[in-house]
């Protein structure tokens, strides 16, 4: 899920961001003409911005003449505190969870009305997932998204539920009443189960990660083959990992905090 820059803005910064947002997982390399087409910018404007971005290191030139996102941009982005500090605190616990379950393990935060994945460890022979580190997804259908939405403010929940919900499979919860019941269940049990809501072969089990002020700052999940695991058996393992990360972040966990 990719955010779009406003095409109505004419500032240099907004146009440079439009150039960067033209790149996506399914188009990691773009030629100048393609950048112009995806952004709607005149070719001369796109050429000037691409040159400036490449000179700075935000873009890199490919031998074939195309451009891709540059390493300098990754260096800057890695300084984001919610990403770097959270990831460092979480990695030992994510690694343990992945070792025990041999499944995909994910760590995510909420950014506005989307899930952003901070880390993902792939299990050997694990089920295919559609997520990637740095990628976005809608809140209501994923395990981590349900956790983050359940603990978000009422205004955030209403914004999400007032919009059309994306249907990924026949199992995806798209009725607001269904999602509200799922969120209530997350708050009651401390665990979210997304059963074949994103793909028909995967189930996700997620739990909340708390920060120093005992507020939910992230969510951790295991994603496994839907026909090969019992989600209720995975839940305690995910909760143990979530509590470990929470303590590493300085949370003072009460017995009621899962």
């Amino acid at each position: 899920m990719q955010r779009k820059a406003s095409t109505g803005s004419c500032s240099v910064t907004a146009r440079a961001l439009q150039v960067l947002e033209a790149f996506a997982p399914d188009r990691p390399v773009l030629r100048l003409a393609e950048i112009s087409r995806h952004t709607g910018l005149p070719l001369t404007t796109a050429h000037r911005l691409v040159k400036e971005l490449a000179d700075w290191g935000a873009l890199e030139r490919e031998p074939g003449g195309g451009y891709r996102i540059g390493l300098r941009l990754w260096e800057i982005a890695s300084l984001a505190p919610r990403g770097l500090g959270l990831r460092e605190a979480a990695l030992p616990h994510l690694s343990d969870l992945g070792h025990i379950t041999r499944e995909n393990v994910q760590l995510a935060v909420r950014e506005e009305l989307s899930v952003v994945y901070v880390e993902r460890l792939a299990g050997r022979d694990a089920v295919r997932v559609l997520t990637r580190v740095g990628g976005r997804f809608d809140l209501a259908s994923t395990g981590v998204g349900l956790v983050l939405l359940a603990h978000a403010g009422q205004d955030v929940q209403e914004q999400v539920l007032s919009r059309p919900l994306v249907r990924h499979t026949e199992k995806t919860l798209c009725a607001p009443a269904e999602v509200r019941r799922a969120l209530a269940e997350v708050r009651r049990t401390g665990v979210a189960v997304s059963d074949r809501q994103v793909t028909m072969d995967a189930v996700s089990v997620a739990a909340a990660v708390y920060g120093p002020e005992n507020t939910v700052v992230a969510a951790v999940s295991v994603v496994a083959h839907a026909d090969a695991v019992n989600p209720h058996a995975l839940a305690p393992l995910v909760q143990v990992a979530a509590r470990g990360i929470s303590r590493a972040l300085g949370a003072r966990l009460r017995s009621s905090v899962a």
Side-chain angles (χ1 to χ4, degrees):
M1 182 176 293
Q2 184 183 10
R3 290 188 297 181
K4 299 297 183 182
S6 172
T7 56
S9 176
C10 60
S11 73
V12 173
T13 302
R15 290 180 176 182
L17 292 173
Q18 283 181 261
V19 170
L20 296 176
E21 288 192 331
F23 295 86
D26 59 344
R27 49 175 191 268
V29 179
L30 293 173
R31 291 182 172 274
L32 185 60
E34 294 172 317
I35 293 173
S36 175
R37 185 173 71 253
H38 283 296
T39 60
L41 296 171
L43 191 59
T44 53
T45 302
H47 180 269
R48 174 174 55 80
L49 290 171
V50 165
K51 182 180 185 304
E52 292 177 0
L53 289 168
D55 288 344
W56 184 78
L59 296 178
E60 295 177 358
R61 183 77 180 268
E62 289 282 288
Y67 293 87
R68 67 167 60 246
I69 295 295
L71 190 61
R72 179 79 182 277
L73 200 62
W74 179 84
E75 290 180 90
I76 298 297
S78 69
L79 298 176
R82 280 205 296 168
L84 183 62
L86 174 61
R87 179 178 177 275
E88 289 181 345
L91 267 176
H93 304 279
L94 298 178
S95 180
D96 288 345
L97 183 59
H99 179 74
I100 293 170
T101 64
R102 299 183 182 276
E103 304 289 356
N104 298 302
V105 175
Q106 302 184 134
L107 181 70
V109 299
R110 180 178 66 84
E111 160 106 328
E112 298 176 350
L113 304 183
S114 299
V115 167
V116 177
Y117 290 89
V118 176
E119 186 58 89
R120 180 172 73 85
L121 304 180
R124 180 175 294 182
D125 300 324
V127 67
R128 177 184 65 93
V129 295
L130 303 181
T131 56
R132 63 181 180 84
V133 174
R136 290 175 174 267
F137 218 85
D138 50 279
L139 285 164
S141 57
T142 62
V144 287
L146 286 169
V147 167
L148 295 168
L149 187 57
H151 293 282
Q154 192 68 31
D155 58 330
V156 173
Q157 295 180 19
E158 292 306 319
Q159 286 184 68
V160 170
L161 296 177
S162 66
R163 301 181 177 192
L165 298 174
V166 179
R167 180 175 294 281
H168 300 283
T169 74
E170 62 188 51
K171 296 281 189 178
T172 306
L173 302 181
C174 289
E178 291 179 323
V179 177
R180 291 184 198 278
R181 284 194 292 270
L183 298 180
E185 186 69 6
V186 172
R187 290 187 290 268
R188 185 183 72 82
T189 64
V191 175
V193 177
S194 173
D195 186 7
R196 292 168 286 182
Q197 287 203 66
V198 176
T199 62
M200 285 300 292
D201 56 353
V203 60
S204 172
V205 181
V209 173
Y210 292 79
E213 298 180 359
N214 275 17
T215 57
V216 174
V217 296
V220 61
S221 71
V222 168
V223 183
H225 287 277
D227 296 331
V229 300
N230 179 354
H232 299 292
L234 290 176
L237 301 175
V238 177
Q239 288 180 296
V240 167
R243 285 195 292 267
I245 300 169
S246 299
R247 292 192 180 97
L249 292 174
R252 298 183 182 91
L253 298 181
R254 302 181 299 275
S255 59
S256 61
V257 175

